[in-house]
Amino acid sequence: MTARRLAPIAAILVAASLVACNPSAAKTESDSKPSTPATSAGAPSAPTGSPSAAPGAPAGSSGLSLAEAIAKIPAADENRTGYKRDSFRHWVDEDSDGCSTRNEVLLAEATKKPEQGAKCVLTGGEWLSYYDEVTVTDAKKLDIDHMVPLAEAWDSGASAWDSDRRMRYANDLDAERSLVAVTAKTNRSKADKDPSEWMPPAESAKCTYLADWTATKLRWKLTADDKERTALEKLAGDCSDTVVKYEVAA
């Protein structure tokens, strides 16, 4: 059972809010993703501007300011040559417990736990989509969003990975903010856009989203082009107290 599944949802709501991606979004690539505040898993969301820790942060560890973290993202031009969404095998059942990555995220991020039936069919439950501050009571209306969309990851370095690493990226349950559960509407609106092209509609999500995005890029050693970096730096101006924590993926 993954650390994500065991993390208390209360923590997920403490530092910010929650996020998601969709398995059916193609180049509009909303790769379904989970959502949460930029803090350790399970913490309740905090107000905009309050310190928040991003994906994979060890409890109690020190972090970087958002500006410092953005500066650490390697610079490179993006290249989408050869991208296919199925180059990233996703929604696997890594621990063979009957629940796919999608359902693992839904179970971990539920503010009201759903009933789990045969083959991990989920009924009932309640979730907060932090992108738009919408409460959802039907899991089918949620997408699991890859914080950094699969196409963006490909553009930023994943094209050079082998299939196993791409699968691990697409099913990253070890970092609480790599995947987030959000409304299908916002996930599909985001598609494969980076923060220079799309930000969550809820103002309260801004600093959390920037921290989650930056931490995911650093965790997986992905790059940023000039347009993306400029947008990140500009948007981060209102998030001076936001803290980014991450662990580099093996």
Side-chain angles (χ1 to χ4, degrees), residues 8-18 35-37 40-45 108-109 177:
I9 188 63
I12 292 178
L13 298 174
V14 159
S17 306
L18 306 133
S35 92
T36 291
S40 41
S45 58
E109 295 195 356
R177 310 305 312 135

Side-chain angles (χ1 to χ4, degrees), residues 5-146:
R5 276 190 83 181
L6 297 174
I9 188 63
I12 292 178
L13 298 174
V14 159
S17 306
L18 306 133
V19 193
C21 155
N22 186 338
S24 63
K27 184 183 178 266
T28 298
E29 155 106 38
S30 335
D31 329 350
S32 294
K33 319 163 193 199
S35 92
T36 291
T39 187
S40 41
S45 58
T48 302
S50 62
S52 38
S61 68
S62 60
L64 301 169
S65 71
L66 180 55
E68 290 171 329
I70 292 169
K72 286 178 66 68
I73 301 175
D77 292 335
E78 294 188 356
N79 186 344
R80 190 158 299 186
T81 303
Y83 170 71
K84 293 184 295 184
R85 198 165 189 276
D86 60 10
S87 295
F88 296 79
R89 184 183 171 208
H90 50 287
W91 312 152
V92 302
D93 180 9
E94 186 176 8
D95 58 5
S96 302
D97 67 349
C99 294
S100 68
T101 299
R102 171 183 165 81
N103 281 359
E104 297 279 15
V105 174
L106 291 172
L107 288 167
E109 295 195 356
T111 55
K112 180 180 178 182
K113 197 170 183 64
E115 292 185 13
Q116 182 177 335
K119 297 183 179 179
C120 205
V121 172
L122 305 181
T123 55
E126 187 170 288
W127 293 264
L128 174 63
S129 166
Y130 93 75
Y131 286 179
D132 48 3
E133 295 185 327
V134 170
T135 296
V136 178
T137 55
D138 182 354
K140 294 178 182 177
K141 295 182 178 180
L142 291 164
D143 283 351
I144 304 305
D145 181 43
H146 292 94

